[in-house]
Amino acid sequence: MSDLEATEELDAAQAEMDASQVELEHVRETAGENQPGHWFERDPLWFKRALFYEIHIRGFFDGNGDGTGDFRGLIEKLDYLQWLGVDVIWLLPMYPSPLRDGGYDIADFTSIHPDLGTTEDFRHFVEEAHQRGIRVIADLVMNHTSSDHPWFQRARAAAPGTPERDWYVWSDEIHKYEDARIIFVDTETSNWTWDEQAGAFYWHRFFSHQPDLNFDNPDVGDAMIEVLRFWLDLGIDGFRLDAIPYLYEREGTNCENLPETHEFLRRVRREVDENYPDRVLLAEANQWPADVVQYYGDGDECHMCFHFPIMPRMFMSLRREDATPMIEILENTPEIPENSQWGLFLRNHDELTLEMVTDEERDYMYEEYAKDPRMKLNVGIRRRLAPLLDNGRDEIELMHAILFSLPGSPVLYYGDEIGMGDNVYLGDRDGVRTPMQWTGDRNGGFSRADFAALYAPPLMDPVYGYQAVNVEAQLRTPTSLLRWMHKFIALRKEHPVFGLGTLEALRPANARIFAHIRRYEDDVVLCVHNMARSAQAVELDLSAFDGYTPIEMLGRTPFPKIGELPYLLTLAPRGFFWFQLVSERRRQPR
Ligand code: NOJ
């Protein structure tokens, strides 16, 4: 495709966007209500077919030229996200915060960090997103606050036994809840920290500047419900509930996944169902499958949960050239309620967590993916997707193909659609949170501020730097990763089977092949992925589809008809095929 043709295609995409805009306006007007979000299709299970996109607002686009991304900037980039095919934006914490943990240290739950804009900017952003058919969910940390939060300031100043003091978890000694693990092992040596002013220790599961709230105090739960209501009233479509397993503490337990936590979540869900239908609660519970599924309850807790254990196994399968780790974890994943969905991801704003693997698997992952000790952080690896995959285009495509083929809603991390790199020389997880690379211009087109004023330096190395990797260049290159992602996202969204269908893993003799069937109503899809660096042949038992024709989905190319004998396929190194299996009856013109 020439540059001109590419431009024409983009113009056509713009025209399509304009047309869908008119359509949305129409639906909005005819709906005759004024509630935010009402102009979306009325489908309470919309999130099961959605593509999520995670945004570090500070790093996305700087609208006011002060060196920090903000809501004004984000609004300017909504057309891009609409073009990409994003259905839901997940915003990292946007609240006032001393930013000692990327904003997960909240100092005020009901306003916007001044660096990012005002509450009015936020409201405007949500409206603009909705007008483009994009929903918005926000990160919400219920488990803890920043030690700067007025609740903590009030608590530490109050006398023991007073209601104010009771908002956090205090103790005179540290030999309490000793079975609870330490999560940030690189920084913390205890879950208790001494507070001079209070004259007592306070409990924290994360950094010592993030005291845990005391959910045994009913006022805390009530306050959290008020926070939820505040943002839902502003029109937000839901929340990613951060650190949800740790709300309560009980002696003799590991203080995770306690029944009391589930009870509180059922209360949250009732509140949402009764007053805010069509919103979504997405649980961040980094747990084993049997424990995570508890967060769906009987369909009466969270609508979605991240599938943490599958993620490292995808990386393991790729390096080992063996589909077994993925198949095993899928087989060990219990069914989830009909009205629920998995959130699937390759990378996010944290380290690639290795908490949900065995010790041996963890060693293997470190050896393969964290060759430089700087890449390790806590129990994980702080790198972005492209560098993890040695910038291999085939590998990046293959991993997305697998991600998109699994039952769940995929969650992309900003910048991964263009193959952004990371900076292991920055502290903590900042290396995977560098500015989005929009163009090859100054600061990667992210900000017009002086370089020194930027919240973090953009990548400038010859491989991943903004001159080599940026949105503008990739839009102009028909074969770019970005253009491929755009096409691939559209393909997935065309087929509800991926979000709604069942999965049957095929277990071919060649273990380098990850193959499975997805089914939803009449739609049958066969996904075959070659984990190996070399070309492979595989024989698949497709006798149940005798007489069906596989149609390769990207090119709509019919392949030889399936018979009774094993179906032979050959795949390029790290190659994959997605086929729609079409019966003779369905192929006949009516
Ligand atoms: C999980 C978040 O993803 C992470 O970034 C944060 O540091 C911890 N929760 C503590 O809030």
Side-chain angles (χ1 to χ4, degrees):
M1 200 188 284
S2 68
D3 267 9
L4 182 65
E5 281 168 326
T7 317
E8 278 169 1
E9 201 181 288
L10 280 180
D11 287 349
Q14 183 63 49
E16 236 174 69
M17 273 162 25
D18 293 347
S20 61
Q21 187 61 36
V22 171
E23 213 170 280
L24 278 172
E25 289 293 338
H26 174 71
V27 177
R28 195 169 150 194
E29 279 159 19
T30 50
E33 290 172 41
N34 217 9
Q35 282 302 307
H38 77 270
W39 51 86
F40 289 103
E41 187 192 344
R42 283 210 184 264
D43 171 10
L45 299 182
W46 57 268
F47 55 85
K48 292 182 77 165
R49 289 174 293 122
L51 180 98
F52 288 66
Y53 185 92
E54 176 187 358
I55 293 185
H56 177 40
I57 313 161
R58 193 165 288 276
F60 205 58
F61 189 61
D62 176 9
N64 65 0
D66 66 355
T68 295
D70 46 37
F71 281 107
R72 273 172 55 187
L74 190 45
I75 292 171
E76 286 184 49
K77 295 301 181 188
L78 281 171
D79 287 343
Y80 165 76
L81 296 174
Q82 186 185 22
W83 169 82
L84 187 59
V86 169
D87 298 306
V88 189
I89 291 173
W90 153 25
L91 297 172
L92 291 189
M94 59 207 182
Y95 318 95
S97 157
L99 301 178
R100 296 170 72 191
D101 179 14
Y104 284 91
D105 45 337
I106 298 175
D108 175 358
F109 282 96
T110 51
S111 56
I112 295 290
H113 195 294
D115 289 357
L116 309 180
T118 61
T119 308
E120 208 32 57
D121 291 337
F122 173 77
R123 189 202 304 269
H124 184 202
F125 156 71
V126 173
E127 277 172 14
E128 290 288 326
H130 284 173
Q131 283 182 19
R132 290 167 178 79
I134 299 177
R135 289 178 163 94
V136 178
I137 66 168
D139 229 307
L140 182 65
V141 191
M142 306 213 273
N143 180 65
H144 49 265
T145 67
S146 158
S147 50
D148 287 8
H149 197 292
W151 294 343
F152 187 72
Q153 294 303 324
R154 196 179 59 184
R156 64 167 23 154
T162 56
E164 291 79 13
R165 177 82 152 211
D166 198 33
W167 277 57
Y168 293 82
V169 182
W170 300 97
S171 171
D172 294 333
E173 43 108 9
I174 55 167
H175 299 293
K176 247 181 124 176
Y177 312 137
E178 286 187 307
D179 295 334
R181 69 193 164 116
I182 293 168
I183 296 171
F184 285 164
V185 285
D186 285 2
T187 336
E188 302 299 334
T189 49
S190 167
N191 287 326
W192 291 107
T193 288
W194 176 253
D195 187 60
E196 205 48 62
Q197 191 180 349
F201 293 97
Y202 61 88
W203 178 251
H204 54 88
R205 291 309 299 270
F206 295 92
F207 288 123
S208 58
H209 55 76
Q210 285 166 315
D212 275 29
L213 284 160
N214 175 19
F215 275 78
D216 277 320
N217 176 350
D219 291 346
V220 169
D222 291 350
M224 273 307 147
I225 299 279
E226 280 314 304
V227 170
L228 284 152
R229 295 185 66 103
F230 176 86
W231 295 105
L232 292 168
D233 286 340
L234 268 173
I236 206 160
D237 300 289
F239 299 97
R240 170 205 184 255
L241 299 177
D242 182 73
I244 207 68
Y246 317 109
L247 301 190
Y248 286 82
E249 300 75 33
R250 290 292 177 264
E251 203 52 79
T253 73
N254 65 359
C255 299
E256 301 185 12
N257 315 319
L258 295 177
E260 293 82 352
T261 299
H262 290 289
E263 198 180 314
F264 179 69
L265 284 173
R266 284 193 290 275
R267 177 177 169 202
V268 170
R269 176 66 178 262
R270 273 197 305 277
E271 178 68 31
V272 171
D273 283 351
E274 281 163 22
N275 300 307
Y276 307 95
D278 289 2
R279 318 288 174 104
V280 72
L281 299 170
L282 164 55
E284 191 232 0
N286 188 354
Q287 303 284 327
W288 290 99
D291 293 321
V292 187
V293 294
Q294 306 297 324
Y295 288 88
Y296 294 113
D298 294 323
D300 57 356
E301 291 190 27
C302 295
H303 306 76
M304 293 182 68
C305 297
F306 285 116
H307 199 314
F308 276 94
I310 183 85
M311 181 274 298
R313 287 172 178 80
M314 293 169 67
F315 288 93
M316 223 147 53
S317 280
L318 188 77
R319 263 319 143 90
R320 284 193 177 152
E321 306 187 34
D322 181 353
T324 315
M326 292 186 294
I327 296 176
E328 281 177 358
I329 203 76
L330 287 172
E331 285 176 352
N332 286 324
T333 301
E335 289 290 317
I336 61 172
E338 229 352 79
N339 61 349
S340 313
Q341 180 65 307
W342 288 110
L344 304 168
F345 63 102
L346 293 170
R347 288 297 301 112
N348 62 21
H349 62 289
D350 287 327
E351 67 277 23
L352 188 169
T353 164
L354 296 174
E355 280 162 318
M356 294 304 126
V357 296
T358 63
D359 291 349
E360 193 196 321
E361 289 168 336
R362 191 172 308 120
D363 289 345
Y364 177 80
M365 287 291 287
Y366 279 140
E367 214 171 288
E368 289 297 323
Y369 287 109
K371 298 213 186 290
D372 177 341
R374 265 180 290 245
M375 295 168 177
K376 291 187 190 174
L377 181 73
N378 298 319
V379 189
I381 303 173
R382 51 194 199 115
R383 301 180 74 192
R384 261 193 184 264
L385 183 66
L388 278 166
L389 303 180
D390 296 330
N391 214 11
R393 174 68 182 269
D394 292 341
E395 282 75 6
I396 297 176
E397 289 185 9
L398 177 66
M399 290 292 267
H400 279 102
I402 296 173
L403 182 80
F404 282 24
S405 78
L406 294 175
S409 295
V411 185
L412 303 182
Y413 184 47
Y414 86 97
D416 282 350
E417 74 274 26
I418 54 170
M420 256 171 71
D422 52 42
N423 179 355
V424 289
Y425 297 94
L426 296 178
D428 199 357
R429 289 147 291 175
D430 293 345
V432 300
R433 302 175 184 178
T434 57
M436 179 70 177
Q437 295 170 192
W438 294 104
T439 70
D441 300 338
R442 178 159 60 97
N443 302 331
F446 157 73
S447 168
R448 297 201 49 77
D450 287 342
F451 176 82
L454 301 183
Y455 81 93
L459 299 186
M460 287 178 286
D461 64 87
V463 179
Y464 297 105
Y466 59 77
Q467 292 192 329
V469 177
N470 66 68
V471 170
E472 185 185 53
Q474 294 200 19
L475 278 176
R476 284 178 52 183
T477 312
T479 54
S480 66
L481 177 63
L482 178 60
R483 296 286 290 268
W484 180 85
M485 287 289 291
H486 171 238
K487 205 166 63 181
F488 203 58
I489 289 170
L491 177 67
R492 191 196 199 260
K493 287 171 61 170
E494 247 176 59
H495 296 271
V497 62
F498 291 113
L500 304 176
T502 56
L503 177 141
E504 296 151 50
L506 302 175
R507 283 244 195 193
N510 185 347
R512 291 168 194 262
I513 302 298
F514 178 55
H516 55 261
I517 305 266
R518 305 291 318 270
R519 266 190 233 234
Y520 179 66
E521 296 175 349
D522 271 0
D523 212 3
V524 186
V525 165
L526 165 68
C527 304
V528 191
H529 311 91
N530 176 12
M531 307 311 295
R533 292 175 189 86
S534 50
Q536 296 290 317
V538 64
E539 289 190 331
L540 297 172
D541 177 4
L542 298 178
S543 48
F545 302 100
D546 186 2
Y548 280 59
T549 302
I551 314 268
E552 196 283 323
M553 290 165 72
L554 272 168
R556 303 193 199 284
T557 313
F559 269 48
K561 207 188 261 179
I562 299 168
E564 277 172 34
L565 295 177
Y567 195 80
L568 174 72
L569 280 172
T570 53
L571 290 104
R574 310 285 205 201
F576 73 93
F577 286 126
W578 281 6
F579 297 107
Q580 209 170 4
L581 301 188
V582 181
S583 68
E584 206 45 56
R585 193 171 43 83
R586 278 187 69 195
R587 289 195 76 200
Q588 303 290 341
R590 290 173 194 212

